[in-house]
Amino acid sequence: MEWTIILFSNNLKHPIMKKITLMVAAMMTMGMLSLTSCSEKTKDSANETVEEAKEDMDDNVAEAKSDIKEAGNDFEAKVKEDKESLKADIDEAVAKLDKKIEDADAKMEKATDKEKAKWRDRKKELNEEKEDLQASWKDAQNETADKWDAFKAETKEKIAKAKADIRD
């Protein structure tokens, strides 16, 4: 270790070593000055980045709100379209049930007493299905969007049952 110190101190006496030492000291001084000035620039840059991030976040939130509103509007439009379609299906099924009820009335006029009882029962069943479908439509107008899909499926089953009974 003594040798290193002696060598180093001996080297400082050499003119080239003095120049190198001065250059290193100057570079270190310049580096320190640069670092302090860069830290101010870095702080400004960081502040700008934070502001940009806030603006991006605000833009993203606004866009998300818009997307949610649009999705809600699309869903409401779909529910409205489904209700119109369901109303048409119910009206069609009710019209067919009315026709079957008229047919039952016509057959009862010509039927024997035993057959009349059978047709009265059939007419009663058809009227019940008709009333059930009409009640379903009244319920459909009050259904919320949350329960719409379940309600629609239940009503479609009723329509299918009515159509199956019409075929009998």
Side-chain angles (χ1 to χ4, degrees):
M1 201 153 159
E2 287 179 26
W3 284 93
T4 310
I5 295 172
I6 293 171
L7 281 173
F8 187 68
S9 60
N10 284 340
N11 283 339
L12 283 178
K13 292 178 184 175
H14 195 281
I16 294 179
M17 281 306 286
K18 283 183 181 179
K19 286 183 181 179
I20 291 175
T21 305
L22 285 174
M23 284 178 57
V24 169
M27 287 174 58
M28 288 182 75
T29 304
M30 293 295 286
M32 293 300 283
L33 290 173
S34 296
L35 286 176
T36 56
S37 67
C38 282
S39 66
E40 288 300 317
K41 289 180 183 175
T42 304
K43 286 179 187 177
D44 291 342
S45 176
N47 287 337
E48 287 176 15
T49 303
V50 168
E51 286 300 317
E52 288 174 3
K54 285 181 183 177
E55 289 173 7
D56 287 347
M57 185 181 70
D58 290 343
D59 290 345
N60 289 340
V61 167
E63 187 176 322
K65 285 180 181 179
S66 173
D67 289 347
I68 289 170
K69 184 176 180 180
E70 185 178 323
N73 290 341
D74 289 348
F75 185 71
E76 286 180 24
K78 182 188 179 307
V79 168
K80 183 178 179 183
E81 182 181 311
D82 283 351
K83 281 185 178 183
E84 290 171 1
S85 174
L86 189 61
K87 174 68 171 143
D89 289 346
I90 289 172
D91 289 345
E92 179 186 346
V94 166
K96 288 180 180 179
L97 286 169
D98 283 338
K99 176 72 172 122
K100 281 290 186 176
I101 291 168
E102 288 175 18
D103 291 347
D105 284 338
K107 289 181 181 181
M108 278 195 301
E109 289 178 15
K110 300 175 187 173
T112 63
D113 288 339
K114 185 177 179 182
E115 289 176 339
K116 282 184 184 181
K118 175 185 152 196
W119 285 110
R120 267 189 240 116
D121 290 342
R122 179 72 175 134
K123 182 179 173 182
K124 181 180 175 191
E125 288 174 12
L126 294 171
N127 275 317
E128 286 173 0
E129 286 180 22
K130 177 182 167 182
E131 289 170 11
D132 195 26
L133 284 173
Q134 289 171 331
S136 290
W137 176 244
K138 288 178 186 172
D139 292 342
Q141 294 172 333
N142 298 325
E143 281 302 317
T144 62
D146 299 350
K147 299 177 185 177
W148 174 248
D149 288 332
F151 175 80
K152 182 174 77 170
E154 183 181 313
T155 303
K156 291 267 186 187
E157 286 178 28
K158 290 177 184 178
I159 292 169
K161 183 181 181 291
K163 286 182 178 180
D165 282 348
I166 292 168
R167 288 186 214 122
D168 289 343

